[in-house]
Amino acid sequence: MKRPPARGELSAAVVSALDQPPGTAHLPDSRTAAASDPYGDDLQLALALCYELHYRGFDAVPDTWEWDPELLRFRAALEHAFLGALRADVPEPGDVDTLLDGLLVEPVDGDGVSHFLRDKGEHWQLREYAAQRSLYHLKEADPHLWVVPRLWGQAKAGMMAVEFDEFGAGRAERVHARLFADLMDDLGLDSSYGRYLGACSRQMLAVNNLMSLFGLHRLHRGALVGHFAWVEVTSSPGSRRLAQAMERLEAGRAAVHFYAEHVEADAVHEQLVRHQVVKGLLREEPALAPDVAFGIAATDLLEDRLGEHLLSAWRAGASSLFAPL
């Protein structure tokens, strides 16, 4: 994919470094990262650029950049700032089961993003939402796969049962990333991988970066399982409303199908993740319970902030994006 324009000193340093041969770049020190807004456009884009090297990479950037020691040192400083802010801002998570039970309770008069899009969203807002979410959905489930070698027993078996569905159960045309690309085509968006990285808001970058941060470190395997549990537990009701939004605005068959597929699939996945993955992990490693709880709570915090940003912009008739589509 193509690299997006920088948004400040940190991201400019990464963009510039990737134009040079690995091993030759000099990146900012940890004090520069520590002095930046941990949730800001600059730091979050810099992190996204670093993380993408572990996925499909960038045009004309050598694969050897993935494990460049200087870049990894810089990335660690960015991660330290981001994770430190999350630990300071996330309330005491509490019990894992209590957190998951709370996610299953939906208010009768809910007013979140999926409610807004279902009831009064406009076509341009659907397009913005899809462009933002494409950062993850065009590589859906990829970040969660990193936890598989770090699990064993029931947790590993349950995780693979869910991931098998996410990757189309052996059928390329049913891979969820492919289904989302079809949704984008229906909405008249460019479904090329990573196309809207430069357009996404800092709130979306943070949501997406959290998965990679947890996934790339064995230390955070419990937090990644917590993140995965949050995604699967909350997905089905939200997907139903988004399918209804696509139908109301006649977005297209593929656009409706993507979310309709998740209504049924994720209702099953929620049970698998909760009773096999989470409980299986904690049966083997009970000391990871606080990490699982932190993963759930941190995800909830960043998703809430993204939702607030989207609704605040749209209710004002403004774009939620950093740059226009």
Side-chain angles (χ1 to χ4, degrees), residues 90-100 288-294 296-297:
V90 169
E92 190 64 33
D95 176 71
V96 171
D97 282 333
T98 301
L99 286 169
L100 293 176
L288 290 182
D291 294 336
V292 175
F294 174 70
I296 296 169

Side-chain angles (χ1 to χ4, degrees), residues 10 18 27 142 146 156 162 171 182 192 242 300 315 317:
L10 300 173
L18 296 180
L27 290 155
D142 289 352
W146 277 317
K156 177 174 280 192
V162 176
R171 296 173 58 185
D182 295 340
S192 302
L242 290 167
D300 204 46
R315 285 169 177 159

Side-chain angles (χ1 to χ4, degrees), residues 122-176:
E122 298 178 20
H123 195 267
W124 67 271
Q125 292 160 338
L126 278 185
R127 295 180 80 244
E128 285 199 358
Y129 184 76
Q132 299 245 34
R133 288 293 187 184
S134 69
L135 280 196
Y136 169 65
H137 282 306
L138 290 179
K139 57 170 173 269
E140 186 168 338
D142 289 352
H144 300 118
L145 272 181
W146 277 317
V147 82
V148 173
R150 297 156 182 173
L151 303 175
W152 56 92
Q154 192 59 65
K156 177 174 280 192
M159 193 76 186
M160 287 309 303
V162 176
E163 296 290 64
F164 183 65
D165 285 348
E166 300 284 356
F167 293 115
R171 296 173 58 185
E173 73 277 8
R174 293 182 60 83
V175 172
H176 285 187

